[in-house]
Amino acid sequence: MSNIGLLGLGVMGRNLARNIHSRGFKVSVYNRTVQRTTDFVEEFGDETLVGFADLKEFVQSIERPRKIIIMVPSDAVDAVLDEELNGLLEEGDMIMDGGNSYYKETVAREVRLNAKGIGFLGCGISGGEEGALKGPSLMPGGSKMAYDAFAPILEKIAAKDFNGEACVAYMGKGGAGHYVKMVHNGIEYGDMQLLAEAYTLLRFVGGLDMADLAATFASYNQGRLASFLVEILVTIFNQKDEKTAGYLLDKILDSAGQKGTGRWTAMEALELGIPLGTVMEAVNARNLSAFKDLRSRLGKANLAKVSLPLAEVDQFKVGVEAALFGAKISAYAQGFMLLQAAEKEYGFGLNLAEISRIWQGGCIIRAELLQLFTILWQKDQTKHLFEFAEIQADLLPTLDLWQEALALGGKDRLPLAAMASSLNYVYGIFKETSSANLIQAMRDFFGAHTYKRTDLEGTFHTEWGA
């Protein structure tokens, strides 16, 4: 009998199955398209990695209580649970959805399955196809009983944090796992856009060529910006085009795709009233990039251009590094603020220190900075990240250089919305007074929405101009 079953042999599913198998577990696999199962088993199978063409035989091959991981697109999960597996599972069996499902759908699925005595986990998995094979970051939530059953396997296949511990932890009840993964992906959207804007500044204001860009980001990755995303930029900038002369990046169409998790994060922030400008601007930038034909027509306009003197380029690189570091802290702060709000609203049982810890390895947003966040959240996870003296010591010295880099980009008419929004978030949080009193006065003027005063208790309305 197999220790675990895996249903769905797409890129992530097949690599996860190989990962589990490599850790000494016997694995049964199944895919709706039989040929995919056959091909997979022919390439990787043995007596402890077995494929099945029949779903019933697949289920019956797994030791009880059964543990099954489903790795299918989010819009196919309900069909698998309610149609294909319906009637094949028994009370006490457990299922883990390892896809990018929307957390509210995960909550509904857990309720349905629990009514049948079946445990259910919604598990965010980050790290892409390489992470799935070599060690991802795992964010499971839902049935604690199901988590305890899956944990010995998940702990073996997960990446390791900076202290060598497995990058997996129980996120909390209900849709907690997929919620945390959603926020992870939102931060990922923001981080990628910030890096793209830093590239834009260095390329078009600093005048750096691809070799210079690779060397600059390699230098950045040796310091406080050390992270997976900065690391891979070095390879991207160095990649030559096999089809033509020059660098591959220059041949890639500047129209970015998206699967929707960044949009989910932005919508959730709006729902809970949390400022999440960096992620929202990252989504907006991808949306804007899709209008390539329109941009090509309007891009012929004669806009101003800035070219730095060569003697100033090295200092500009320092400024961009500071801007990128400050913006990265800001993006994380916004993401954690959303997680704090979700905890108050939904009572998941989130542990920000554990979330920071399991993001240290395997996942796309893994970064050295997460070590500090883990330590700080262990002290107090009710604070805003900016309230910690250690964060202020890192963040506040970046502001002048950050602002100067944006100003130079503005002179060159460069779109830098995510980096600017990240800075505005910092300015807004650290400013005791704001212009919202005028907003509220206007609301009261035309809609009698009332207002509160700074000097008196209660709610007030004014007949303006009377």
Side-chain angles (χ1 to χ4, degrees), residues 293-313:
D293 290 343
L294 176 61
R295 291 189 294 110
S296 294
R297 293 197 301 272
L298 295 177
K300 296 178 175 60
N302 184 25
L303 297 179
K305 286 195 173 291
V306 172
S307 182
L308 283 179
L310 187 61
E312 297 179 16
V313 171

Side-chain angles (χ1 to χ4, degrees), residues 7 30 32 55-56 59 76 78-88:
L7 187 156
Y30 171 86
R32 185 182 298 169
L55 185 56
K56 184 176 181 179
V59 172
D78 285 330
V80 171
L81 296 177
D82 300 333
E83 299 171 19
E84 297 178 32
L85 288 175
N86 188 36
L88 299 180

Side-chain angles (χ1 to χ4, degrees), residues 373-391:
F373 296 163
T374 302
I375 293 169
L376 297 178
W377 293 131
Q378 287 171 344
K379 296 177 182 178
D380 187 349
Q381 72 167 22
T382 65
K383 286 185 174 182
H384 187 281
L385 192 63
F386 291 173
E387 292 185 276
F388 292 104
E390 296 91 335
I391 294 297

Side-chain angles (χ1 to χ4, degrees), residues 280-298:
M280 294 180 186
E281 291 297 350
V283 174
N284 285 339
R286 294 197 191 192
N287 292 340
L288 183 60
S289 77
F291 292 89
K292 178 62 177 178
D293 290 343
L294 176 61
R295 291 189 294 110
S296 294
R297 293 197 301 272
L298 295 177

